[in-house]
Amino acid sequence: MASLGSKVFLCVGRTNVSRFGLKESANRLAYSTLAPVNSHPGNKGFPDKNGRGPFRRKPRRDPGEPRTEKMAVDQDWLAVYPSATPFRPNSIPLPVRMGYPVRGGIPPEKKGNLELIKIPNFLHLTPAAIKKHCEALKPFCTEWPSALDTDAKCDMDFPVKVESTDYMSAGQSLRNPSARIVHLKVKLSSLNLDDHARKKMLKLVGERYCKDTDILTITTDSCPLRQQNYDYAMYLLTVLFHESWKFEPWEAEKSVADREEYIWEDSPSQKNILDVLLRMKVAGEGDDQEARDQLLERREVQEYKDSVVRLKNEGESESTMLQYKEAVKKVLSL
Amino acid sequence: MAASLSCSARLLGFLARSGSQGSSSGSRGLHVTVACCKNRAARVRVGKGEKPLTYEQAYHPHHIGHCKGWLSQHPGNLQGEEGAAERTVEDVFIRRFMFGTFHGCLANEVVIKRRGNTLIVCAILLQRLLPQKFYFLIGYSESLLSHFYKCPVKLEVQTLQDKAVYKYI
């Protein structure tokens, strides 16, 4: 134990010698030789050989020069940054600075700069790298069919469009419940529907139809899997189509209030205008069906009919009111 | 009111007497001062000019987005995305883990990036240990963290001789 203590003493003396100047070394040496000199058998020779303590076998290596010094100007950058990696100051031969400068100073350099590491970099996506990626992906791609060069042709050949979304997140789980939602879009003009079938379909479908674009959208999310939702959407489309072609007996009871658009024949407007014209007629032809039919065939009455139909169906606007005014003036020969 | 006042007066008198009796042990008073609502979050208190600060320490949390970036970014914090809380808990654990594994060797905060499934932990270390020890610790943390989180974990390490000082406070 005493020998151990003396050894420690010796160590301390020696390290001090390495730190301070040579002037003090004489004093230190004199001080340390007072203690018995006992060299440890595992020691490499005399302790004060490298002046760093007897237990260090190899001296500390200096860090080598950074890779940037050895880089050629025309090197292959893809070899340095083949994939997305954080910023490495010793691999990038650019004198980049980042950060808010100190007062009267400049932004901090790239060595040890955390701000450069925090941001995403695109050093792995130089134009040359992207070209290489494209070359690698080309064998797996097929050409777009040349016959489908316009949107109209695509709609004609593929009228039903199915849309669903895939989600990717940073967590450990792949599952996202919103991925099961399926949207099915189809243009009603591409379906084979006659007038009654179309009206019935519109009534069945309600809000899912967009008048401006003539697209019926069916959205299904009641099933847990996307495949199930897709099957359900196709089933709904099939059922809607077949049901709208069927004519149920109770559909004959359709009243004026159920009609989607205004029909002028047998409407109060027709009766009113015919009554007015008959009363206005100077030659009293009598109130019978022939006179009415004759009146109906007249051009002014037809124009009046068009303007009323347009007004009722499209709503009130400048052009419809103007047309109505003109038609009324002509009919009543004002 | 009068009754209660006399009650409290009697009580005070009793306390004073007890205080005077136990005068050898000292008396205790209640001191109430106004609260000083100083913000202490992530702020290094000003010294005499000898404290070195890194860029990260020099700018306070309200500078994030202006002078500082984010130490950890992930899509869980976006509108309509889930999993923000889980990612935050993972981040906290990873920072403590790194602080403990590379004790005394971390030059700056740990930056955590997420790319799809993988976790990329970026750290700047000081050259205080032998490179072989660093390699072992890097491999150890990577394998342990990937077992914890069941996803690939990559450690990107840079070493420096000394901390990058931004200014002295």
Side-chain angles (χ1 to χ4, degrees):
Chain A
M1 283 303 116
S3 63
L4 199 69
S6 64
K7 227 185 319 125
V8 169
F9 209 50
L10 208 63
C11 284
V12 166
R14 289 294 160 236
T15 48
N16 281 343
V17 163
S18 66
R19 288 234 189 100
F20 299 128
L22 281 168
K23 278 186 195 160
E24 297 164 277
S25 60
N27 295 338
R28 298 279 175 199
L29 267 170
Y31 181 56
S32 59
T33 46
L34 283 173
V37 175
N38 240 345
S39 57
H40 193 254
N43 227 355
K44 261 197 195 168
F46 205 61
D48 67 351
K49 216 190 223 177
N50 40 18
R52 283 212 192 141
F55 293 110
R56 288 274 175 96
R57 296 298 174 97
K58 291 181 197 160
R60 192 201 163 107
R61 273 199 311 197
D62 293 317
E65 55 173 24
R67 190 174 161 185
T68 50
E69 313 287 324
K70 306 170 205 159
M71 281 180 175
V73 175
D74 54 349
Q75 66 170 335
D76 183 24
W77 182 250
L78 278 159
V80 185
Y81 259 84
S83 65
T85 11
F87 188 86
R88 284 195 293 256
N90 288 340
S91 298
I92 293 167
L94 299 167
V96 185
R97 287 181 175 270
M98 176 142 172
Y100 198 81
V102 202
R103 191 136 160 238
I106 46 172
E109 53 166 12
K110 62 177 181 175
K111 227 181 175 107
N113 197 332
L114 203 65
E115 300 298 313
L116 281 164
I117 300 176
K118 285 179 194 173
I119 53 167
N121 65 60
F122 296 97
L123 293 160
H124 58 291
L125 290 177
T126 50
I130 294 177
K131 261 198 193 141
K132 268 201 179 171
H133 294 164
C134 291
E135 296 297 325
L137 285 171
K138 268 215 166 85
F140 302 103
C141 301
T142 50
E143 289 257 348
W144 181 260
S146 51
L148 290 175
D149 39 355
T150 57
D151 270 341
K153 282 191 193 163
C154 292
D155 286 340
M156 202 175 65
D157 289 317
F158 302 98
V160 178
K161 295 177 173 64
V162 178
E163 199 181 295
S164 61
T165 321
D166 282 302
Y167 294 87
M168 201 176 97
S169 68
Q172 286 97 13
S173 168
L174 286 175
R175 316 285 167 207
N176 193 321
S178 322
R180 72 186 196 283
I181 301 174
V182 170
H183 301 277
L184 192 138
K185 290 193 169 96
V186 73
K187 271 202 172 155
L188 280 191
S189 49
S190 53
L191 295 174
N192 186 17
L193 296 168
D194 74 344
D195 192 42
H196 157 262
R198 192 192 156 86
K199 285 191 182 148
K200 187 166 175 189
M201 170 81 97
L202 290 179
K203 275 205 188 282
L204 283 171
V205 143
E207 273 185 5
R208 294 176 188 83
Y209 176 73
C210 172
K211 248 191 200 166
D212 302 324
T213 52
D214 188 36
I215 290 181
L216 166 66
T217 312
I218 300 175
T219 308
T220 42
D221 60 350
S222 37
C223 305
L225 295 181
R226 187 188 297 165
Q227 179 63 35
Q228 294 170 340
N229 278 321
Y230 170 75
D231 291 337
Y232 181 51
M234 293 304 279
Y235 162 75
L236 279 179
L237 185 65
T238 324
V239 160
L240 276 171
F241 182 76
H242 288 299
E243 282 300 311
S244 56
W245 269 102
K246 285 190 203 163
F247 192 87
E248 302 285 331
W250 45 261
E251 281 182 47
E253 295 162 22
K254 190 174 182 184
S255 64
V256 178
D258 291 327
R259 285 204 206 131
E260 297 88 4
E261 55 183 17
Y262 183 74
I263 302 172
W264 194 72
E265 283 78 27
D266 298 329
S267 74
S269 171
Q270 186 191 9
K271 285 192 211 109
N272 289 343
I273 192 71
L274 288 174
D275 288 337
V276 163
L277 284 173
L278 279 170
R279 283 199 202 114
M280 263 171 55
K281 272 284 185 207
V282 177
E285 284 163 32
D287 188 21
D288 58 344
Q289 197 55 37
E290 276 180 28
R292 283 179 188 266
D293 291 336
Q294 268 180 9
L295 281 172
L296 270 176
E297 280 161 30
R298 285 171 116 201
R299 205 165 51 87
E300 295 95 10
V301 179
Q302 291 291 324
E303 274 180 30
Y304 178 75
K305 166 199 166 186
D306 290 334
S307 70
V308 167
V309 163
R310 197 166 158 231
L311 199 66
K312 290 269 181 176
N313 283 339
E314 289 173 26
E316 288 180 20
S317 70
E318 284 270 356
S319 56
T320 48
M321 292 302 280
L322 218 72
Q323 196 185 359
Y324 182 67
K325 173 178 120 182
E326 296 301 314
V328 164
K329 277 196 337 205
K330 275 191 200 160
V331 155
L332 301 176
S333 37
L334 290 167
Chain B
M1 257 320 270
S4 62
L5 266 173
S6 57
C7 264
S8 56
R10 226 176 288 157
L11 199 62
L12 279 169
F14 169 72
L15 278 172
R17 260 179 276 130
S18 62
S20 59
Q21 277 168 15
S23 55
S24 54
S25 56
S27 62
R28 278 195 187 174
L30 175 66
H31 300 273
V32 178
T33 52
V34 178
C36 177
C37 305
K38 261 189 168 321
N39 206 341
R40 296 195 70 95
R43 283 164 172 81
V44 180
R45 294 287 143 185
V46 169
K48 292 275 197 290
E50 83 289 357
K51 261 194 236 180
L53 287 188
T54 59
Y55 190 89
E56 196 63 33
Q57 290 163 332
Y59 285 102
H60 299 155
H62 62 269
H63 287 119
I64 294 177
H66 299 269
C67 307
K68 286 199 325 185
W70 279 264
L71 285 169
S72 130
Q73 280 171 322
H74 51 87
N77 283 336
L78 295 173
Q79 163 90 351
E81 297 289 329
E82 294 165 359
E86 286 96 5
R87 308 294 151 263
T88 315
V89 168
E90 281 169 25
D91 283 355
V92 171
F93 176 80
I94 288 168
R95 280 176 212 286
R96 284 178 189 237
F97 182 86
M98 295 297 289
F99 185 73
T101 320
F102 296 95
H103 194 84
C105 299
L106 275 178
N108 217 329
E109 299 279 338
V110 171
V111 170
I112 300 175
K113 298 187 176 198
R114 283 181 174 81
R115 200 167 291 133
N117 199 12
T118 64
L119 263 174
I120 299 166
V121 182
C122 313
I124 305 183
L125 305 176
L126 297 169
Q127 288 161 3
R128 283 171 129 226
L129 298 175
L130 294 170
Q132 288 87 352
K133 300 207 177 186
F134 271 135
Y135 287 135
F136 168 75
L137 285 176
I138 291 170
Y140 156 84
S141 356
E142 276 187 3
S143 47
L144 213 62
L145 285 173
S146 54
H147 275 283
F148 277 149
Y149 290 121
K150 308 280 180 269
C151 64
V153 174
K154 181 115 179 53
L155 215 60
E156 298 272 346
V157 158
Q158 291 171 31
T159 49
L160 293 176
Q161 291 265 45
D162 310 295
K163 280 191 186 184
V165 178
Y166 179 65
K167 68 180 186 188
Y168 288 91
I169 263 199

